[in-house]
Amino acid sequence: MELLGSVRYGRLAMSMRALPFLAVARHLVIEGRVVLRMHRGLGFHEACDGSVVAYGADNFNSPAPAGTEDLWSVQFTGPVEIMEPGPGQRERFGTCPAEVNGEHFDPVYLRLDPRLAHMHTLAFDASP
């Protein structure tokens, strides 16, 4: 959970019309849960509400922490529900995108209660 604070976006895995689907989401960790912000206009939140989903994030496209070249990825699975964050929580997400696929960004929020978590690291050695 601590690693999620060092990156802003991850990928939500869900089922839509009985097929697997991935969507990008902005995330925060609030009180041990992962709160996601997505665009309402795509309808992904409706497919997720009340379901078990997976969420993953990594630092593969971010600079590695000072003094290290290690890469990591985390994945969580658990039930998710639509929620309305308080004003302070909403501010923590920062600025919303202006548009998604040419549509005005309309935020919707989901709360994921992680039940199963996995972390993987890729360590690099400076020697050949």
Side-chain angles (χ1 to χ4, degrees):
M1 296 292 274
E2 295 166 12
L3 293 172
L4 285 182
S6 64
V7 295
R8 297 175 47 177
Y9 288 87
R11 290 165 237 38
L12 178 65
M14 68 193 104
S15 177
M16 277 187 76
R17 296 177 195 97
L19 297 171
F21 194 80
L22 290 175
V24 174
R26 170 81 166 96
H27 64 258
L28 290 175
V29 177
I30 299 175
E31 298 174 2
R33 293 188 172 129
V34 180
V35 179
L36 306 173
R37 180 181 73 190
M38 304 177 73
H39 174 53
R40 182 182 312 271
L42 299 174
F44 300 149
H45 62 291
E46 294 168 344
C48 295
D49 191 32
S51 298
V52 173
V53 300
Y55 187 73
D58 57 59
N59 70 342
F60 296 165
N61 292 320
S62 304
T68 179
E69 293 184 26
D70 291 349
L71 299 175
W72 55 263
S73 70
V74 292
Q75 298 145 25
F76 302 93
T77 58
V80 70
E81 63 184 2
I82 296 172
M83 55 99 59
E84 191 59 42
Q89 294 173 339
R90 197 173 297 121
E91 288 174 13
R92 287 182 52 199
F93 275 98
T95 306
C96 291
E99 294 182 344
V100 173
N101 297 339
E103 274 185 33
H104 173 72
F105 183 83
D106 182 14
V108 64
Y109 300 87
L110 301 170
R111 179 178 43 236
L112 168 59
D113 186 10
R115 301 285 170 89
L116 183 61
H118 295 280
M119 182 183 92
H120 303 283
T121 59
L122 300 172
F124 293 88
D125 188 348
S127 63

